[in-house]
Amino acid sequence: ALRLAHLAIASQALARLGCVPSHADQVTYRPMLRWAEAERARVNGTALRKEAAADDAADAVIRAGYTATTDFPAANAYRAFLRRWPRARVVWTARDPRNWAESFVSTLGRALPVLRAWPFSLVPEAATSTEYCYRGAGIRLDAAGRPVSAAQAARAMQSRAAEIRRAVPRGRLLELDVAHPDAWGRLCAFLEVPRADCPVGEPFPRSWLTSRR
């Protein structure tokens, strides 16, 4: 089964367990950008079916030899991927919504206005895909492209978690606290990695996106 890691689980952890993870890279970038445009029902003025665009992204993952996806933009396609691979497993890395929102607003939440400005505006796909990632996660943006508030971002995270719990079949979702003392053990059990091959005792890796205070 394709193992999907939702949002910020470190791709290093999945790689350590033998998966081949795609992490917001060029293999899925173009297909996912097309899906982003499909969600807005516009590609050069022509409506596209979201399902077809999502299938393009899934095909790109398989052609590249990946067995897992992590982070955006692929995280927003988790429903489409689950339709394609009903037995896929989804890992949601749980964090305190308030702490996450404050970290997001003060770091990555500042990216979109920068990407809309010169010289990054010469590559408009960067701003388009970033906006898609944020809006797809329920983040509301102001006219400048900044999150309207940390409180709204925290509520969006909570709504997202509830949505995923409803959408993912029972037994196919792991809500993983990467700071838990047995994070490796829980992840290994969920992915059916033999205990002998599980790196229990090793520090659990952190995504480069994670901000700690």
Side-chain angles (χ1 to χ4, degrees):
L2 180 73
R3 293 153 181 175
L4 302 180
H6 190 70
L7 293 182
I9 188 169
S11 59
Q12 303 99 299
L14 292 177
R16 179 68 177 82
L17 298 181
C19 297
V20 183
S22 163
H23 182 84
D25 63 14
Q26 61 183 351
V27 169
T28 55
Y29 178 81
R30 290 290 178 183
M32 291 311 303
L33 179 60
R34 181 169 176 258
W35 193 38
E37 294 289 354
E39 287 208 318
R40 292 163 56 176
R42 178 181 60 80
V43 173
N44 297 326
T46 302
L48 293 175
R49 292 172 55 244
K50 288 193 296 183
E51 292 81 2
D55 283 342
D56 285 350
D59 289 341
V61 169
I62 294 302
R63 284 196 303 269
Y66 291 121
T67 61
T69 62
T70 66
D71 205 3
F72 290 110
N76 276 356
Y78 78 94
R79 287 178 183 270
F81 283 10
L82 282 171
R83 285 194 296 270
R84 181 77 172 268
W85 295 286
R87 296 181 60 80
R89 305 179 193 196
V90 178
V91 181
W92 168 271
T93 50
R95 292 186 61 186
D96 177 80
R98 182 176 177 180
N99 290 343
W100 171 83
E102 291 177 354
S103 173
F104 170 76
V105 169
S106 64
T107 53
L108 289 179
R110 299 177 179 178
L112 189 52
V114 175
L115 294 174
R116 287 176 173 175
W118 192 88
F120 299 104
S121 59
L122 297 175
V123 187
E125 292 90 347
T128 300
S129 59
T130 299
E131 181 177 354
Y132 155 69
C133 292
Y134 294 171
R135 293 192 186 279
I139 304 296
R140 291 174 52 197
L141 304 173
D142 62 20
R146 296 182 297 264
V148 295
S149 69
Q152 192 281 321
R155 291 193 298 271
M157 181 184 183
Q158 291 171 311
S159 296
R160 179 78 156 186
E163 169 198 306
I164 290 168
R165 293 182 189 113
R166 291 191 299 267
V168 180
R170 183 181 298 274
R172 294 287 162 184
L173 173 66
L174 172 65
E175 297 188 45
L176 181 66
D177 179 357
V178 298
H180 190 280
D182 193 31
W184 275 123
R186 295 191 63 208
L187 184 59
C188 288
F190 180 67
L191 297 180
E192 299 182 2
V193 174
R195 191 74 179 184
D197 298 329
C198 187
V200 174
E202 288 185 14
F204 199 89
R206 299 290 191 269
S207 168
W208 66 275
L209 297 175
T210 300
S211 174
R212 294 284 178 179
R213 296 189 179 185

